Amino acid sequence: MNAKFHVPRSIKFPEAIDVTQSLLARMEAGKMSEEEIERAIASLVSSEDGARGFFVTYLTDERSLADSPSGATIAALETSPEIVAELLTKNLAMSAAMSVAHRRNHNEKMAQDSERVCQRTANLIKQVKLASLPEKLQELNESAATGSGSYQEFLQRWNYDREQREMIQQAIAKVNA
């Protein structure tokens, strides 16, 4: 394999996006072992900024890598359960809600991109073994249904309306099916 892939210790969000883009290119080219991939992703998701940068890049990337996550990817995500569970929960909500917003704006391409992110997120949620994830999804579902609870502030911050909250609930129901 090529030179070791390096993830800075105290990575910031923009830098995490750049590092993840480089990581995905090397993964696609077959230039990294499963162990190297796991180490790099685990390092990225060990901090909030790193994990946010990883997910925004990985889930929206045009390549098909996120459609069928490798075992190394899943194992790496499981190394930071609290950060990953929270971000997967919020990514599921945001991508589901944004598909509605994009359709309202007559932007079918963006709506389909949001649906792809939602599907990829749901796929990760089904594969990772994180003890807190079912509870977080239940709390999000409750907040989307009632407008109160632990995700109330998150839903209000993004001004998600009734239709968007219903789409979030549908996304959660698909994950739990």
Side-chain angles (χ1 to χ4, degrees):
M1 299 289 157
N2 288 2
K4 271 188 120 167
F5 191 84
H6 176 70
V7 177
R9 277 199 194 276
S10 57
I11 195 165
K12 298 295 179 209
F13 178 66
E15 188 181 13
I17 291 171
D18 292 341
V19 168
T20 302
Q21 288 170 341
S22 176
L23 172 65
L24 294 177
R26 289 186 63 166
M27 287 169 64
E28 183 183 47
K31 294 184 176 177
M32 295 178 74
S33 69
E34 287 292 295
E35 294 80 20
E36 289 172 313
I37 293 167
E38 184 175 341
R39 250 191 322 273
I41 295 172
S43 183
L44 276 164
V45 301
S46 68
S47 71
E48 176 109 14
D49 273 358
R52 285 179 50 238
F54 171 76
F55 281 123
V56 77
T57 307
Y58 181 74
L59 294 171
T60 62
D61 194 77
E62 291 299 319
R63 290 171 278 232
S64 62
L65 290 168
D67 295 325
S68 302
S70 68
T73 300
I74 298 302
L77 295 178
E78 292 173 346
T79 63
S80 295
E82 282 309 308
I83 292 171
V84 169
E86 185 68 17
L87 289 177
L88 285 175
T89 300
K90 289 179 175 178
N91 274 314
L92 186 71
M94 295 175 86
S95 57
M98 287 310 295
S99 69
V100 173
H102 291 311
R103 286 222 162 77
R104 286 179 186 158
N105 293 327
H106 309 290
N107 192 333
E108 188 58 28
K109 166 79 170 93
M110 293 291 286
Q112 289 174 1
D113 288 349
S114 290
E115 287 172 349
R116 183 180 66 193
V117 169
C118 190
Q119 180 57 47
R120 287 174 168 181
T121 304
N123 189 24
L124 286 174
I125 289 170
K126 288 178 181 180
Q127 292 188 54
V128 296
K129 303 293 182 251
L130 302 176
S132 65
L133 200 44
E135 182 181 331
K136 288 183 182 302
L137 290 172
Q138 179 56 42
E139 290 170 0
L140 174 61
N141 192 56
E142 182 181 312
S143 291
T146 66
S148 62
S150 54
Y151 284 93
Q152 172 188 359
E153 186 180 309
F154 168 75
L155 297 173
Q156 287 177 336
R157 180 175 355 123
W158 295 104
N159 295 313
Y160 294 146
D161 62 25
R162 182 189 53 77
E163 184 182 4
Q164 289 172 306
R165 292 193 319 268
E166 286 172 1
M167 188 61 74
I168 291 167
Q169 289 181 279
Q170 288 175 26
I172 294 167
K174 285 180 188 172
V175 166
N176 291 332

